[in-house]
Amino acid sequence: MVTINIDGQKLEAKEEQTILEVARENGIYIPTLCYNENLAPYGACRLCSVEISKGGRSRIVASCLYPVEEGLEVKTNSPRVVSNRRMIMELLLARCSQNEVIKRLASEMGVEQPPFRPEYWEDEDCILCGLCVRTCEEIVGRSAISLVNRGVNREVAPPFLEPSADCIGCGACAYVCPTGAIKMDDKDGTRVVYASNWKKEFKLKKCKVCGNYWAPEEQLEYIRKKLNLPADFFDVCPNCK
Amino acid sequence: MLQKLKSKRDVENLRKKIVAKREEGKPLVTVCNGTGCHASGSVAVIEAFRQEIGRQELADKVAIKATGCHGFCERGPIVVIQPGDIFYQQVKVDDMPQIVAETIIQGNVIDRLLYVDPATGKKYVHPSEVPFYRSQRRIVFGNNGEIAPDNIEDYIALGGYSALAKVLFDKSPEQVIEEVKKSGLRGRGGGGFPAGRKWESCRNAPGEPKYVIANCDEGDPGVYANRSLLEGNPHSVLEGLLIAAYAIGSHEGYIYVRNEYPLAVENATIAIKQAEESGFLGKNILGSGFDFIVHINRGGGAFVCGESTALMASLEGRVGEPRAKYVHTAEKGLWDKPSNLNNVETLANVPLIINKGADWFTAIGTEGSKGTKIFSLVGKVNNTGLVEVPMGMTLREVIYDIGGGIKEGKRFKGVQTGGPSGGVIPESMLDMPVDFDELTKAGSMMGSGGMIVMDEDTCMVDTARYFLTFLEEESCGKCVPCREGIKRMRQILDDITEGKGEESDIELLERISATLKDTSLCALGATAANPVLTTLHYFRDEYEAHIKDKRCPAGVCKALIQYYIIDEKCVGCRLCEKACPVEAITFMGKKKPVVLDQSKCIKCGICKDVCNLGAVGVK
Amino acid sequence: MHKKVAAIINKYDADKGQLISILQDIQAEFHYLRKKDLTQVSDTMGVPLSQVYSVATFFKAFTLKPRGKHLVNVCLGTACHVRGASKVLEQIERSLKVSRGETTSDLKFTLETVNCMGCCALGPVVKIDDEYFGEMNAGKVDSLLAQY
């Protein structure tokens, strides 16, 4: 166990913890976008940046990744932190100038519009946080989509921008997306999982008992094979079982 | 098949044997075959030598050696002739018969092939006297002139691998680390981190296996020092890597070479094969019980892979995305194991330190920066090439004494050091000693050794824009500040160079710069603002001219300049008219100046390029 | 399934860490990375296709589109830039009617740029296939391209 100091508060922490984990445990707010406690921290959005000092020297680090150590002093709202956070938000807003989630988050931080010329504002929804990709890889285990290209051309996409053979339509990516860049619609026995540059359609399985469509056949088939379940295992939906 | 050496004594005996075999006084023609001379036609020169010597039936009396880069790239192809230590420059295929007949057979010097100092008109015969070389201290790079990269015997003849033998049999790993720490050797790739300390933390880090990596992913545009070192003297890097491996306790290593350097990859591959055959690699090296194998990996064309964690990611078959370095790669690096990464120049210094001692090394350089550094001295300088100087030499000495001053007698404006992570240093600071800390204090950095000289015709705003464009293309795209911030800065710089700048732009550039520096995930983003910040600091008047007056004082930014015909000089030869891609120039009759239609002109500059009379001006 | 691709994968013992080397060899063989080859790599090595695709699109060395007969490479290193390389590039783009990174419709030329070839003394430098052309300026472009 180590003792650290966040915003003047002395807190106990386990040695393997990050600043963000300790802050959250103790109800101290640090904004994040690319963080999810079920996934390994990624450090892409940099919104969680905080100011640390140890032995007189201070610097800015990503709290989702920085490991705690004895005597660490953390400031989550110093002027330096606030101005950095603001600029990151301005950069995100310039990229996603019409996205409601980003607009609201920016507004909460006092950012009403990006400081750049309006003709350069973009209309993206995806902030390239990678939550969808990492979820598909780490939790679902399919790696159907990935981050492709480099730099300003980076985007989330299935291979060759074609419906991925590895995608089972579970919708976890849509669920975890913070900005609604990936959506999922179920209608008339068909599920569509889609983003601005790709989509895949799935036939939904119909329950033999109640007649409701409840999950993509591909997804159920994947689970059935993985757990070695009998062929008719998913013919009846969980509600009717 | 090379003889496999099985002991420390075997190495020394082989060296003696090779040296004895080389007859003193036997004529030797050394031709530089480094990439620069390659592009100037050295291959044809070498072939012409062989043919001429064959024609004169001297094939068994005269030796020819194609070596790596000699450094004086401006004057290539370069030929050095022994006996006599005669230095010929800008040698052409047609010079062969004369060189063989007069210099090799008769021992006479051919004046017109000697280097002439343009300032004094004086001629120099020996390389050591040539002003370009005179002030250099070529402890690492100098051996390039003696080594044919595909012949390990050349390296051994110079004492190669004796440091390895010494280390394996006479020193413990801890002693090796102590020696390197004592030498003060700092990383030559850009970080400037003390090599000995890095080795020590890697050695002490828990976990097996440990990896050592030689970084030759030299990505700074305008720098080719690492390339020439690995191409010309691959064994020096290999020996340094072996010593590092022994000190750290690693048995497997990588040499990571930039994809755009196929010759370096080829020569390193040959060197590894010959080292294996000779017993310097593999199991039970020289009978010491120490094992080590090495792989060569090529980069995929990504500047960011020069960064250690991105490099390691690509060695794991993943994209070159850096990761946070809160936990150092010395503890968790390649495959999450303790890994030591050093630049190839850093490693090439190691055998010298082992053989000559840390005290010898610390006698060279400054308090905080020991030893020498190889710089790529390029741009608007007369003597373009690779120079190796002791740390502490001033920029003025490098640019003027060694570099021969500014091309075409123009005025010096600035020197860009440290690549895209560095900055431009103005005339007022030319007497600054070149040293890690001094360069950082000036807002720039040493980086991998780039020194791009700029003159009055270089626009500093355009320079800043150039670097941002480069970085925008090379950013991996993972983190918001770098991916989005650099893009926005580049857009602002584009606008300024197109005459669309606004007063508030400078403050905005500074704000974005601060966030880049503070919150970027890796050094690419964190240092991306340096070119902008230094040019703003030292050349603010140029920014203001572009923004307020919509003027480019250096005459570079297309939207702000105009090409015009200097009527008094134009004789109506029609060269420009024919070359103009948009037919903006009209012939008005013989001996009359042509007319340039500004409304059609696209500012391509071709008219100025083709005019032999200087009748096209820029304002 | 292509024999040559299988041989390349074998050469590197199907080591996942050598994915980039494997793709480089495949591209050297077929001049670009074809979808079927990338799929074969993924299936054989057990690396998700999405990861192979990410790597193929991240590194500038790789192209997923066929390349032209002649590769025109313009150096945009700082030393060449300062000597006017951008004007040379612009004229080549005008002449060939393609932008950097593109191939002419007759598949004769592919235009690429490199950030430093290491012959700064000769800058600006244009490399076509294996030949270097130094001290270029915009005025020399058309006659150079005419040689091909």
Side-chain angles (χ1 to χ4, degrees):
Chain A
M1 296 295 281
V2 296
T3 312
I4 68 168
N5 184 319
I6 303 185
D7 294 336
Q9 248 191 306
K10 265 200 158 116
L11 300 165
E12 289 273 291
K14 295 196 204 71
E15 279 186 21
E16 330 79 57
Q17 282 187 304
T18 61
I19 296 175
L20 183 64
E21 284 170 331
V22 179
R24 289 207 167 177
E25 257 174 26
N26 290 278
I28 298 171
Y29 173 68
I30 299 176
T32 63
L33 269 172
C34 74
Y35 179 76
N36 182 302
E37 58 187 10
N38 299 303
L39 298 166
Y42 192 49
C45 72
R46 317 308 284 179
L47 212 48
C48 71
S49 297
V50 294
E51 188 170 356
I52 59 163
S53 38
K54 203 163 176 264
R57 292 173 66 179
S58 71
R59 59 181 175 126
I60 302 288
V61 299
S63 58
C64 66
L65 281 162
Y66 198 86
V68 297
E69 46 190 348
E70 181 62 43
L72 187 66
E73 282 182 33
V74 182
K75 294 207 191 87
T76 68
N77 273 303
S78 71
R80 197 171 161 192
V81 172
V82 170
S83 71
N84 276 309
R85 205 179 276 156
R86 197 192 159 86
M87 173 51 72
I88 291 171
M89 213 55 238
E90 285 171 328
L91 289 170
L92 280 168
L93 187 59
R95 179 190 166 87
C96 307
S97 55
Q98 305 303 314
N99 182 282
E100 291 308 321
V101 172
I102 298 298
K103 276 159 73 177
R104 191 174 52 239
L105 189 56
S107 187
E108 279 167 24
M109 291 187 197
V111 175
E112 292 307 326
Q113 66 177 40
F116 319 108
R117 308 213 218 297
E119 59 256 36
Y120 297 134
W121 296 356
E122 290 157 36
D123 185 12
E124 300 288 335
D125 287 311
C126 176
I127 54 170
L128 297 171
C129 65
L131 281 167
C132 53
V133 168
R134 293 181 281 137
T135 299
C136 193
E137 183 187 343
E138 287 174 43
I139 297 189
V140 183
R142 295 298 286 172
S143 293
I145 47 175
S146 62
L147 287 156
V148 308
N149 300 330
R150 184 171 89 195
V152 294
N153 296 320
R154 181 169 256 225
E155 54 179 355
V156 172
F160 307 98
L161 281 157
E162 292 164 357
S164 166
D166 294 319
C167 175
I168 53 174
C170 68
C173 53
Y175 179 74
V176 85
C177 175
T179 59
I182 301 184
K183 301 197 217 316
M184 178 172 86
D185 290 337
D186 288 358
K187 194 175 165 189
D188 298 334
T190 303
R191 165 172 292 181
V192 186
V193 183
Y194 62 103
S196 64
N197 55 341
W198 59 270
K199 74 171 188 192
K200 191 173 179 187
E201 290 185 11
F202 301 88
K203 197 151 164 270
L204 291 168
K205 188 133 183 124
K206 199 171 184 175
C207 174
K208 278 210 160 86
V209 174
C210 68
N212 284 330
Y213 292 106
W214 61 286
E217 289 183 356
E218 260 182 81
Q219 178 184 4
L220 295 174
E221 196 51 25
Y222 170 69
I223 298 172
R224 195 188 67 73
K225 281 209 183 96
K226 202 161 181 197
L227 300 178
N228 236 324
L229 302 167
D232 60 354
F233 192 83
F234 288 119
D235 284 0
V236 178
C237 79
N239 288 336
C240 299
K241 269 209 160 103
Chain B
M1 195 61 192
L2 296 163
Q3 171 206 354
K4 199 170 198 100
L5 305 166
K6 301 210 175 101
S7 70
K8 185 174 163 211
R9 192 157 352 127
D10 275 359
V11 181
E12 179 55 22
N13 287 344
L14 179 58
R15 188 188 69 79
K16 289 198 181 118
K17 200 167 118 192
I18 296 169
V19 171
K21 216 174 32 168
R22 292 170 178 201
E23 302 153 42
E24 285 297 329
K26 178 176 178 181
L28 169 64
V29 173
T30 301
V31 185
C32 175
N33 204 20
T35 318
C37 284
H38 215 95
S40 298
S42 59
V43 175
V45 166
I46 294 167
E47 190 47 41
F49 256 125
R50 282 197 219 285
Q51 283 195 11
E52 185 60 25
I53 284 177
R55 214 174 58 79
Q56 303 266 19
E57 290 175 3
L58 292 169
D60 54 344
K61 294 202 181 62
V62 178
I64 304 176
K65 190 188 297 204
T67 68
C69 179
H70 287 223
F72 201 172
C73 308
E74 184 73 33
R75 296 303 178 120
I78 289 181
V79 174
V80 180
I81 304 210
Q82 306 291 356
D85 206 25
I86 301 166
F87 181 81
Y88 287 148
Q89 44 89 60
Q90 293 181 328
V91 174
K92 299 199 185 7
V93 167
D94 296 338
D95 295 325
M96 251 15 80
Q98 190 184 4
I99 294 179
V100 174
E102 290 189 30
T103 307
I104 295 178
I105 295 178
Q106 293 182 50
N108 291 331
V109 168
I110 302 172
D111 260 19
R112 66 173 177 83
L113 291 174
L114 293 177
Y115 173 75
V116 180
D117 188 341
T120 62
K122 194 155 177 259
K123 290 193 182 176
Y124 298 92
V125 178
H126 310 299
S128 54
E129 298 169 342
V130 171
F132 178 77
Y133 290 114
R134 212 168 43 210
S135 331
Q136 293 190 42
R137 185 91 193 255
R138 306 175 76 228
I139 58 177
V140 175
F141 205 55
N143 284 339
N144 269 29
E146 317 282 328
I147 294 174
D150 57 357
N151 187 356
I152 193 175
E153 289 196 348
D154 282 352
Y155 185 66
I156 295 177
L158 294 170
Y161 289 110
S162 59
L164 176 65
K166 194 172 175 183
V167 149
L168 289 176
F169 294 100
D170 302 340
K171 285 188 186 290
S172 69
E174 289 81 5
Q175 284 172 326
V176 175
I177 291 177
E178 270 319 298
E179 193 72 13
V180 175
K181 273 170 81 175
K182 205 168 140 207
S183 75
L185 177 67
R186 289 171 70 170
R188 298 292 194 254
F193 191 83
R197 262 176 55 195
K198 194 189 271 192
W199 291 13
E200 190 173 54
S201 44
C202 193
R203 179 176 182 77
N204 293 337
E208 292 284 333
K210 297 193 160 108
Y211 297 102
V212 288
I213 303 169
N215 188 348
C216 195
D217 195 56
E218 184 176 52
D220 287 359
V223 189
Y224 58 108
N226 285 174
R227 162 201 227 144
S228 301
L229 183 58
L230 190 61
E231 272 180 9
N233 194 350
H235 288 285
S236 65
V237 174
L238 200 48
E239 190 177 5
L241 190 64
L242 275 156
I243 295 172
Y246 174 76
I248 287 163
S250 155
H251 304 283
E252 190 173 359
Y254 293 82
I255 300 182
Y256 191 91
V257 188
R258 189 162 164 243
N259 184 51
E260 293 85 341
Y261 291 169
L263 189 55
V265 172
E266 198 185 313
N267 290 355
T269 305
I270 294 171
I272 287 174
K273 186 157 173 294
Q274 294 186 344
E276 268 166 13
E277 284 176 23
S278 307
F280 295 119
L281 283 173
K283 288 203 173 328
N284 194 16
I285 294 172
L286 299 179
S288 65
F290 179 66
D291 304 337
F292 185 73
I293 55 166
V294 67
H295 316 280
I296 297 190
N297 276 65
R298 284 163 294 166
F303 171 77
V304 70
C305 282
E307 196 274 347
S308 59
T309 59
L311 192 159
M312 292 179 199
S314 76
L315 282 178
E316 292 178 8
R318 298 184 288 115
V319 297
E321 255 180 35
R323 63 150 179 80
K325 288 227 274 251
Y326 306 142
V327 178
H328 296 293
T329 51
E331 289 166 54
K332 280 186 165 28
L334 185 60
W335 304 114
D336 255 359
K337 300 290 183 193
S339 306
N340 178 79
L341 181 133
N342 282 126
N343 177 271
V344 290
E345 188 184 339
T346 313
L347 291 170
N349 272 283
V350 171
L352 300 173
I353 291 170
I354 296 296
N355 270 337
K356 302 196 189 188
D359 289 339
W360 164 82
F361 195 75
T362 56
I364 309 168
T366 65
E367 187 58 43
S369 308
K370 298 297 179 190
T372 62
K373 177 80 188 83
I374 304 174
F375 288 101
S376 172
L377 184 62
V378 296
K380 301 295 192 72
V381 69
N382 276 319
N383 297 333
T384 304
L386 297 172
V387 309
E388 184 178 354
V389 298
M391 298 276 197
M393 180 176 279
T394 67
L395 284 170
R396 192 186 299 278
E397 286 173 88
V398 177
I399 295 169
Y400 287 92
D401 296 349
I402 297 175
I406 311 303
K407 252 179 147 55
E408 291 164 26
K410 300 235 176 184
R411 211 170 24 91
F412 172 84
K413 194 168 194 183
V415 59
Q416 208 279 342
T417 69
S421 307
V424 185
I425 299 184
E427 185 174 12
S428 57
M429 301 182 72
L430 270 179
D431 293 305
M432 177 171 77
V434 173
D435 155 297
F436 284 107
D437 306 312
E438 287 296 315
L439 282 165
T440 307
K441 265 196 332 222
S444 180
M445 60 187 268
M446 177 91 64
S448 60
M451 268 196 198
I452 325 262
V453 178
M454 301 174 168
D455 67 9
E456 59 194 271
D457 293 338
T458 313
C459 173
M460 288 304 156
V461 185
D462 174 71
T463 299
R465 188 191 61 81
Y466 164 83
F467 280 117
L468 284 172
T469 308
F470 172 83
L471 289 169
E472 187 184 358
E473 221 183 89
E474 298 293 341
S475 166
C476 77
K478 179 171 172 179
C479 76
V480 172
C482 174
R483 184 188 69 237
E484 305 291 333
I486 292 178
K487 176 172 70 181
R488 299 299 171 189
M489 287 180 81
R490 195 264 309 153
Q491 282 170 344
I492 295 170
L493 258 320
D494 272 352
D495 280 344
I496 294 177
T497 57
E498 287 168 23
K500 298 190 238 165
E502 287 167 16
E503 295 272 352
S504 54
D505 283 343
I506 293 186
E507 196 211 315
L508 186 51
L509 283 171
E510 287 170 343
R511 268 215 302 135
I512 305 174
S513 300
T515 296
L516 266 173
K517 198 164 172 192
D518 274 350
T519 65
S520 291
L521 173 65
C522 80
L524 189 156
T527 58
N530 284 354
V532 176
L533 291 175
T534 52
T535 49
L536 262 174
H537 185 71
Y538 295 118
F539 301 95
R540 200 180 181 105
D541 51 313
E542 275 194 64
Y543 279 85
E544 301 201 334
H546 282 73
I547 294 173
K548 294 193 186 131
D549 309 330
K550 313 295 182 204
R551 199 173 52 88
C552 176
V556 172
C557 298
K558 277 193 351 182
L560 307 180
I561 58 167
Q562 228 181 46
Y563 286 91
Y564 63 96
I565 309 292
I566 304 172
D567 287 353
E568 317 85 73
K569 291 194 178 165
C570 177
V571 299
C573 72
R574 306 182 79 166
L575 269 177
C576 59
E577 180 211 0
K578 293 186 184 126
C580 177
V582 294
E583 294 173 357
I585 298 181
T586 314
F587 174 61
M588 299 303 279
K590 266 213 229 156
K591 302 255 166 88
K592 292 210 183 98
V594 293
V595 169
L596 170 56
D597 185 348
Q598 293 296 343
S599 66
K600 287 191 183 155
C601 177
I602 55 168
K603 321 281 178 67
C604 68
I606 290 181
C607 52
K608 188 160 190 281
D609 288 338
V610 303
C611 179
N612 296 321
L613 303 168
V616 181
V618 187
K619 60 175 177 213
Chain C
M1 279 287 284
H2 204 293
K3 267 202 314 226
K4 286 208 173 111
V5 174
I8 289 169
I9 297 172
N10 267 336
K11 176 176 155 198
Y12 293 96
D13 299 322
D15 178 358
K16 290 186 170 122
Q18 294 294 337
L19 178 60
I20 291 165
S21 306
I22 290 169
L23 293 182
Q24 280 168 331
D25 281 8
I26 293 175
Q27 176 154 309
E29 180 69 43
F30 299 104
H31 305 298
Y32 69 110
L33 291 177
R34 308 178 305 181
K35 182 167 150 194
K36 52 185 166 179
D37 296 333
L38 294 182
T39 309
Q40 186 179 345
V41 167
S42 164
D43 291 340
T44 313
M45 293 176 65
V47 176
L49 183 60
S50 64
Q51 185 177 324
V52 178
Y53 186 70
S54 281
V55 168
T57 54
F58 181 90
F59 292 102
K60 203 169 170 208
F62 300 132
T63 174
L64 296 167
K65 289 193 226 151
R67 278 211 165 121
K69 187 165 170 222
H70 299 293
L71 182 58
V72 179
N73 235 318
V74 182
C75 181
L76 291 186
T78 321
C80 285
H81 174 80
V82 148
R83 289 188 184 185
S86 52
K87 296 218 269 276
V88 174
L89 175 64
E90 279 159 22
Q91 180 56 17
I92 296 178
E93 285 178 325
R94 265 193 296 270
S95 259
L96 295 180
K97 299 198 187 19
V98 289
S99 297
R100 44 193 279 211
E102 292 176 0
T103 301
T104 56
S105 47
D106 59 3
L107 288 181
K108 193 167 173 201
F109 294 106
T110 295
L111 176 60
E112 294 277 1
T113 60
V114 175
N115 289 318
C116 196
M117 296 188 197
C119 2
C120 310
L122 301 168
V125 175
V126 172
K127 187 170 171 232
I128 302 186
D129 298 332
D130 288 327
E131 269 194 85
Y132 292 89
F133 299 93
E135 291 169 352
M136 285 296 295
N137 61 43
K140 293 182 184 170
V141 166
D142 285 351
S143 48
L144 171 61
L145 292 174
Q147 287 178 44
Y148 290 83

